[in-house]
Amino acid sequence: MKKCWIIVCICVLILSSTVYAKTTVAFGYLTNRSGNPNFNYMEIIFPNSFASSIEAVYDCNVIKPLKLNELLEKKQLTLQKHYENHELPQITKTIDCDLFIFGYFIPLPDNTIKIVLTLYESGSNQIFTFTNIGRMETEIFKIIDRITLVLFDFFGKNGFFMSKPIIRGSSVGLITNLNPEELNSMYAEFFNAGYSVIAVQGNELDSYYAHYDEIINYFQYISTDANSYDIITDWSKFTMTLGTWEGKKKKEWQEDLRKIYEIYDLNYKVFKNTVLEKYKKVYPNCDYLLFVVYDPSRTSCWARGIDIKTKQLIFMHSNISASGMSKDLQKTTRQLITVMQTPTALPQKYKKK
Amino acid sequence: MKKIFIITMIVYIGLLSCATKKGVVARKTSIAPGSRVVVIANHPNNIKNVIIARFMNKNYSVKAFNASDLYTIEDVYDIKDYKKVAYMQPLKNDNMVSFEKAVENIYKLHIYNYELSKAEALNDMRTKYGTQFLILMELKDWQKVSWARAIDLTNMEVVWVENYPAQYKDTLETVVDHFIASMSK
C-alpha cells in the first residue's frame, strides 16, 4: 500500500513538472535615438544583457533580438526598431511569447544614458513603461542590474514596481475607497509608522470614493512621463459611419469626440501634469500621493504612488496582502507600509552569480 | 459537550463583534484649549449646538462655520452621470476600449481637480476666518463607532484621529468631551 502511494506521488510530481510551461520572454531592439550611429551597436548588446540577466534570476525562456528576427523572417516579417502600442497584441501573437520587451536609449550629456523599456504581457492589453538613467561606462552593469530588478519585480511579485522606497518621515496624501471610520484606522497606522498624513481625502465628512469603487479603480492605470502602467488603445479601430447624409448635429458630435480624444487621451499627461504642479503649491508638505484601493473584506489592496515633486509614478503593487489568519484593514495597511518602505533587491542566488 | 460548543460560539461571536468595534486613536500634535477651530458635523442644529457648546466650555475659539456651507462633489458637478451619457450615444463599435480610456481619464482629472478645489476652500477657511484647525466629527448611536479627525490648516496635515465605540454610560456630551480630551492631550 505504502509503495503504491509513493509511486502515485512520483507520477503526480512528474506530470506536474511536465505540464508546467515556462514563461517565454522575447526581447526586441533597444533603439538608439541619439542620432549618432556610433551607438548603434548597443541596440542589440543591451537587450542581450537584459535577456541574460532576467534568465539568471527568473525561471523563463528568453528570445534575444537576433533569434527573434529569425523567427519573424520565417513568417515573412522583420523585427522592427519601434512598435506602436496597438501593434503589440499582434506581434506577441505572431511570436507566440508571453512577454515582449523593447525600448530605446538616449545618451545624455555628462556621460549618462537614459534607457526606456516597454513591457507587454500577451493578451493583457496593458503596457508598462519605465525609465532608468545611469552613468555610461562606470555604471553600465549597475543599470543592467537595476533594469533586471524592475523586470523581476514586475513579473515575479504581482506587478510590483518601485523606483525608490517611500521612507518613514515622508508626507503622504492618501486617496482610498475607505469610509471615514476606516480612513482613521489607516491614518493611525501611518502615524504609528512615522509618516505624516496630508488631508487629501481626509478633509471630508463622508468619503465620495468609498461609494464609487468603479471610479477609484480607474487609478490602477497611471501614466506619467517617465513611468507608466496603462491600457493600450487604438483609436483607428474606432469607426463611425458618417457621410453627406449626416446632419449638422452628427458632425458636431464627431468633432466633440475628436476633441475628447485629443484632450483626454492624447494630451492627458500634459493636463494631469498641470494639475499636479498645482498640488505642489496647495499641499506644499506633501511628498507623495498614494492611491490605495482595498478589496471589500479589507484583507488585500493595490497601490500606486506618485512623487509630487517629479510628478512621476514611483511605486506600484497590484496585490498586497498581510500574512496570518486574522487579517484586517490595519494588518493590510501595515503590510503596505512595510512594502513601500523596504528597498527592493534581487534574490541572493542571483547576486552570487 | 453541546453546552461547551454553544458557549464557545457565543464567546467567539462576542469577540468578533468587539473586533469590529475597535477603538483607534493616534495624534501628531495636541490641539490645546484656546486654539481657533472650525467644527464640522453633519447633524441637526440642536446636536451641533451641543457639540459647539462643549468646545466653548473648554475655551476653544469656535468659528461660525456650518457643514452646509460646504458643497460636495455631487453638488458641483454630477460627474458620475458622465459615463452613462457616454454609453447612451449610438456607438455601434466593437472596440470601445479607446473611448472608455478617454472617459476614465475625464474622471481621473476630475478627481485630481476636486482634491485641489477642496484644499483651496480649506485654505480660505484659514486665511479668511483665521482658523488653525478643522475638526471633523460624526457621532453615532450606541453599538456604532463615532469618529473624529483634526487637520492643521497651516500645512494641511492630519494631526489627530480617533474612532470611539460608544459605551453604555455614554451620552452626546460625554462622547464630545471624550474627543476634546483626547485631542488636547
Side-chain angles (χ1 to χ4, degrees):
Chain A
M1 185 64 184
K2 206 175 178 183
K3 266 186 183 176
C4 280
W5 257 114
I6 293 166
I7 291 164
V8 169
C9 286
I10 289 169
C11 287
V12 168
L13 282 172
I14 291 168
L15 277 172
S16 61
S17 63
T18 48
V19 167
Y20 169 71
K22 275 188 183 180
T23 308
T24 303
V25 187
F27 284 82
Y29 296 117
L30 201 72
T31 314
N32 169 23
R33 287 206 185 162
S34 68
N36 182 351
N38 290 332
F39 291 112
N40 283 355
Y41 70 98
M42 290 171 143
E43 291 188 331
I44 296 174
I45 287 178
F46 267 128
N48 281 350
S49 306
F50 300 145
S52 302
S53 297
I54 197 74
E55 198 176 22
V57 73
Y58 190 70
D59 189 20
C60 62
N61 297 318
V62 297
I63 308 173
K64 293 178 182 177
L66 293 179
K67 177 75 181 164
L68 184 58
N69 194 37
E70 280 174 25
L71 289 172
L72 285 171
E73 277 174 352
K74 283 179 193 166
K75 295 177 181 177
Q76 284 76 50
L77 293 165
T78 47
L79 181 62
Q80 301 297 312
K81 290 206 171 180
H82 174 72
Y83 287 99
E84 292 298 331
N85 290 347
H86 65 262
E87 294 175 298
L88 296 174
Q90 188 54 44
I91 190 77
T92 49
K93 207 174 171 185
T94 312
I95 305 162
D96 194 22
C97 66
D98 299 299
L99 310 164
F100 181 57
I101 301 168
F102 69 105
Y104 65 87
F105 67 88
I106 306 171
L108 300 172
D110 64 20
N111 207 27
T112 53
I113 187 167
K114 173 179 162 182
I115 296 177
V116 179
L117 280 188
T118 296
L119 285 70
Y120 175 71
E121 189 174 358
S122 185
S124 70
N125 206 42
Q126 291 153 356
I127 194 159
F128 174 50
T129 305
F130 66 96
T131 306
N132 217 296
I133 296 174
R135 292 216 160 269
M136 277 271 261
E137 286 147 18
T138 51
E139 281 192 0
I140 207 81
F141 291 105
K142 282 187 188 170
I143 298 175
I144 291 168
D145 269 2
R146 280 205 298 268
I147 288 174
T148 307
L149 176 60
V150 174
L151 299 176
F152 176 76
D153 281 347
F154 188 74
F155 294 122
K157 298 180 190 171
N158 289 318
F160 174 46
F161 167 67
M162 177 187 274
S163 70
K164 65 173 176 179
I166 300 172
I167 53 170
R168 54 182 292 144
S170 312
S171 297
V172 292
L174 297 158
I175 294 183
T176 75
N177 60 336
L178 300 178
N179 65 43
E181 184 192 318
E182 292 172 321
L183 199 59
N184 269 5
S185 302
M186 187 196 193
Y187 285 174
E189 292 303 327
F190 274 84
F191 280 16
N192 295 338
Y195 291 86
S196 295
V197 177
I198 302 298
V200 177
Q201 177 189 4
N203 50 26
E204 296 177 330
L205 270 181
D206 193 9
S207 175
Y208 173 70
Y209 311 123
H211 303 299
Y212 299 104
D213 262 14
E214 191 190 358
I215 293 176
I216 199 78
N217 272 314
Y218 295 155
F219 286 93
Q220 270 187 83
Y221 302 105
I222 289 192
S223 51
T224 61
D225 293 329
N227 311 313
S228 287
Y229 182 56
D230 217 343
I231 308 170
I232 295 175
T233 54
D234 182 7
W235 281 83
S236 65
K237 284 185 185 167
F238 191 86
T239 52
M240 283 186 293
T241 45
L242 289 165
T244 47
W245 60 87
E246 301 292 352
K248 194 184 164 194
K249 211 175 172 185
K250 193 80 179 267
K251 286 199 172 154
E252 279 172 359
W253 179 72
Q254 185 196 19
E255 184 57 23
D256 288 345
L257 204 62
R258 192 186 60 76
K259 278 184 193 162
I260 285 176
Y261 163 63
E262 266 185 18
I263 298 169
Y264 297 108
D265 195 353
L266 207 62
N267 295 319
Y268 168 69
K269 273 195 269 190
V270 179
F271 279 90
K272 197 191 63 183
N273 282 348
T274 314
V275 178
L276 285 180
E277 193 60 38
K278 288 182 191 167
Y279 270 64
K280 283 195 223 172
K281 287 178 193 158
V282 175
Y283 301 107
N285 291 5
C286 186
D287 299 316
Y288 305 101
L289 185 62
L290 284 175
F291 294 92
V292 184
V293 177
Y294 292 81
D295 73 331
S297 64
R298 309 306 192 221
T299 53
S300 72
C301 68
W302 60 258
R304 308 283 183 260
I306 295 176
D307 185 328
I308 294 288
K309 288 182 182 71
T310 61
K311 301 190 278 283
Q312 299 304 331
L313 174 71
I314 55 131
F315 174 76
M316 178 166 82
H317 204 301
S318 296
N319 185 17
I320 294 169
S321 178
S323 55
M325 286 289 282
S326 58
K327 297 179 195 173
D328 59 9
L329 172 70
Q330 276 118 325
K331 272 194 175 178
T332 311
T333 307
R334 281 198 287 274
Q335 182 62 22
L336 163 72
I337 292 167
T338 306
V339 171
M340 68 187 214
Q341 68 184 190
T342 312
T344 179
L346 284 168
Q348 290 296 321
K349 194 178 105 187
Y350 175 76
K351 281 180 183 169
K352 278 173 195 164
K353 282 185 179 180
Chain B
M1 186 65 184
K2 207 175 174 185
K3 264 187 182 175
I4 294 170
F5 177 75
I6 291 165
I7 291 165
T8 312
M9 284 308 288
I10 289 167
V11 169
Y12 179 70
I13 291 164
L15 282 172
L16 267 183
S17 63
C18 287
T20 54
K21 292 198 294 172
K22 266 195 272 187
V24 168
V25 61
R27 69 181 67 78
K28 280 263 170 183
T29 49
S30 163
I31 302 166
S35 305
R36 298 182 301 277
V37 298
V38 160
V39 185
I40 292 181
N42 198 12
H43 294 292
N45 281 333
N46 55 343
I47 294 180
K48 275 184 204 164
N49 269 359
V50 173
I51 296 170
I52 289 168
R54 305 310 290 182
F55 274 87
M56 288 166 75
N57 287 345
K58 305 281 182 204
N59 288 329
Y60 285 90
S61 166
V62 185
K63 303 289 168 186
F65 205 93
N66 201 315
S68 56
D69 295 339
L70 293 172
Y71 55 77
T72 71
I73 197 165
E74 288 172 55
D75 299 327
V76 182
Y77 184 33
D78 213 349
I79 186 91
K80 68 179 184 294
D81 283 344
Y82 209 96
K83 192 156 190 172
K84 196 176 155 196
V85 172
Y87 279 121
M88 280 168 70
Q89 294 290 346
L91 294 168
K92 288 175 184 170
N93 253 291
D94 293 330
N95 188 349
M96 285 290 287
V97 178
S98 309
F99 195 78
E100 275 184 358
K101 185 181 169 187
V103 172
E104 286 175 17
N105 284 347
I106 294 173
Y107 281 98
K108 286 199 262 188
L109 275 179
H110 175 69
I111 284 172
Y112 283 121
N113 275 311
Y114 173 59
E115 292 302 336
L116 273 182
S117 307
K118 277 194 297 176
E120 280 161 3
L122 294 185
N123 204 33
D124 282 352
M125 202 182 271
R126 181 178 64 85
T127 53
K128 291 180 184 164
Y129 290 73
T131 313
Q132 291 172 290
F133 297 99
L134 168 67
I135 293 153
L136 301 169
M137 201 175 273
E138 189 173 15
L139 305 174
K140 292 193 183 156
D141 293 335
W142 182 77
Q143 280 191 322
K144 290 180 181 171
V145 178
S146 297
W147 66 268
R149 186 183 303 147
I151 299 163
D152 184 342
L153 293 181
T154 52
N155 54 15
M156 296 290 174
E157 210 178 292
V158 181
V159 289
W160 167 76
V161 293
E162 177 153 9
N163 291 346
Y164 178 69
Q167 314 289 312
Y168 273 116
K169 57 182 190 238
D170 273 324
T171 62
L172 171 62
E173 288 89 346
T174 58
V175 173
V176 178
D177 284 350
H178 171 87
F179 280 139
I180 293 171
S182 172
M183 75 175 74
S184 58
K185 265 184 191 166

